[in-house]
Amino acid sequence: METMSEMFEHMMVFAKVVETGSITKAAEQLKITKSSVSKRLSDLESALGVKLMQRTTRRSHLTEAGELYLRKSQMILEEVESLHTGIQNLNQGVVGELRIAAPLTFGLLHLTPLLDAFSVKHPDIKLNVDLSDRQVDILDEGYDLAIRIGHLADSSLRAKALCDIHHVICSSPSYLAKHGVPSSPEALKHHRFLRYEKLPLSGIKMKDPAGQTITASIQSHMISNSGDYLKAMAVGGHGIIFSPKFIVQDALNDGNLIPLLTDYSLISMKAYALYPNTRYVPHRVRLMIDHLAEALSRLVISTEHQHG
């Protein structure tokens, strides 16, 4: 007969395999071998006397018994984590590792001082921060929290709005002197445009002075996944960019970039905190979300697409 400890370990492994979608990813996140994961799944099914998963060479899916076992397992695991966190909070403050993913430039400019303040307040929380313009898979890669800017696609994740982000269309004085200043959104398609790769190919949405929404077509001269690179190219006179203000604000202040079409309103977006949709959110995650939301609500930042 299995001990209570073994039963709990098998339950945890099973839930992680389902969450990540594969034995390989579950093994990586649990830091054990794939053979250990497979053995624990097999031992669990043997102990229960039922098949929890139907596995083929290409994919696997839960049986009816597996669906029931997963729901009950998740409830138990969340209750155990809640219990442990509550006891830790009573005796030694909030502890544990907090894995966060955030866009590079936004993270460096705005999150770094906030994470500094958070670490001073909660020194026993270990921050593991990934600053990158890559859009991570929160569940598959085991992140507790991710910061995203832009419209959110439907997903199984929870989201909390943190602040508004605004964009600007701008270019360098040297480019404008050589190619002229676009006098209308329609004129943008005749200019060299430095396009962020996630900007829709349809162009830039904005509202005219009468409040009508229009989409300005563009012709891409350069494309990049880095807002900082595009800013440097714009300052160098290579074309026009549509950028979050938090990336180009210093160049605007210095006159190295000039805002264009200022009579038109660019549609603003928000920065969000995304986190797994579980019944129990770890206290350290909740503390970080509340900390960021409170601090960023006082910050006037700026965008309209998912620049990092």
Side-chain angles (χ1 to χ4, degrees):
M1 180 179 291
E2 291 186 326
T3 66
M4 188 65 70
S5 175
E6 288 172 331
M7 290 171 61
F8 185 78
E9 286 183 5
H10 294 345
M11 182 187 300
M12 183 172 61
V13 168
F14 171 71
K16 183 60 71 172
V17 169
V18 177
E19 176 189 314
T20 60
S22 77
I23 288 176
T24 299
K25 290 178 181 177
E28 290 173 353
Q29 293 190 20
L30 292 170
K31 296 181 172 58
I32 59 177
T33 63
K34 289 191 293 184
S35 59
S36 294
V37 172
S38 296
K39 185 177 186 306
R40 291 182 187 185
L41 287 177
S42 178
D43 289 347
L44 176 61
E45 290 178 329
S46 296
L48 294 172
V50 296
K51 274 284 186 185
L52 299 176
M53 304 179 74
Q54 295 290 351
R55 293 182 285 276
T56 66
T57 54
R58 290 192 173 185
R59 57 171 297 177
S60 61
H61 64 271
L62 293 176
T63 63
E64 184 179 352
E67 293 277 3
L68 175 60
Y69 192 81
L70 177 65
R71 288 196 300 271
K72 296 294 185 181
S73 296
Q74 289 174 330
M75 291 173 62
I76 292 169
L77 293 169
E78 288 169 4
E79 288 296 337
V80 170
E81 184 172 3
S82 176
L83 172 62
H84 283 192
T85 301
I87 296 300
Q88 289 170 343
N89 292 347
L90 286 174
N91 291 300
Q92 53 183 289
V94 188
V95 300
E97 183 178 21
L98 187 54
R99 295 194 69 204
I100 304 171
L104 177 59
T105 305
F106 183 81
L108 291 174
L109 291 178
H110 297 300
L111 294 186
T112 299
L114 303 186
L115 297 181
D116 177 20
F118 184 88
S119 290
V120 171
K121 190 174 182 180
H122 304 287
D124 293 324
I125 294 181
K126 175 185 175 183
L127 296 183
N128 185 338
V129 183
D130 180 348
L131 295 181
S132 169
D133 291 339
R134 179 179 70 91
Q135 186 165 305
V136 303
D137 188 312
I138 296 175
L139 297 179
D140 279 358
E141 299 180 50
Y143 284 91
D144 297 298
L145 181 68
I147 308 301
R148 296 263 170 86
I149 295 172
H151 292 310
L152 298 180
D154 291 338
S155 77
S156 59
L157 300 171
R158 293 188 189 180
K160 180 177 178 61
L162 298 176
C163 61
D164 290 324
I165 307 287
H166 304 284
H167 276 74
V168 62
I169 298 173
C170 55
S171 190
S172 69
S174 61
Y175 174 87
L176 298 173
K178 184 175 181 180
H179 297 278
V181 178
S183 57
S184 68
E186 292 76 16
L188 288 178
K189 64 184 177 184
H190 303 299
H191 283 264
R192 295 186 171 197
F193 205 89
L194 313 179
R195 185 172 72 85
Y196 184 67
E197 68 172 6
K198 291 189 175 68
L199 181 67
L201 294 175
S202 57
I204 305 169
K205 284 188 177 181
M206 62 184 77
K207 288 187 178 182
D208 64 21
Q212 296 296 312
T213 299
I214 59 176
T215 301
S217 299
I218 58 173
Q219 297 293 327
S220 301
H221 178 62
M222 291 185 187
I223 302 173
S224 177
N225 67 346
S226 169
D228 288 306
Y229 169 79
L230 294 174
K231 167 191 167 182
M233 291 297 100
V235 170
H238 296 283
I240 295 173
I241 58 170
F242 169 65
S243 172
K245 281 187 180 176
F246 69 79
I247 291 180
V248 298
Q249 191 63 61
D250 59 341
L252 293 171
N253 293 342
D254 296 340
N256 291 321
L257 290 176
I258 306 297
L260 304 172
L261 302 174
T262 55
D263 289 340
Y264 293 79
S265 301
L266 300 176
I267 299 173
S268 66
M269 290 190 178
K270 293 183 181 293
Y272 294 90
L274 299 183
Y275 53 104
N277 186 16
T278 57
R279 191 166 63 89
Y280 171 74
V281 178
H283 190 49
R284 61 186 179 275
V285 176
R286 175 55 62 192
L287 283 175
M288 177 60 79
I289 292 171
D290 291 344
H291 173 73
L292 295 178
E294 195 277 331
L296 289 173
S297 68
R298 303 192 306 266
L299 196 63
V300 179
I301 312 177
S302 321
T303 173
E304 204 257 76
H305 212 71
Q306 289 192 36
H307 287 47

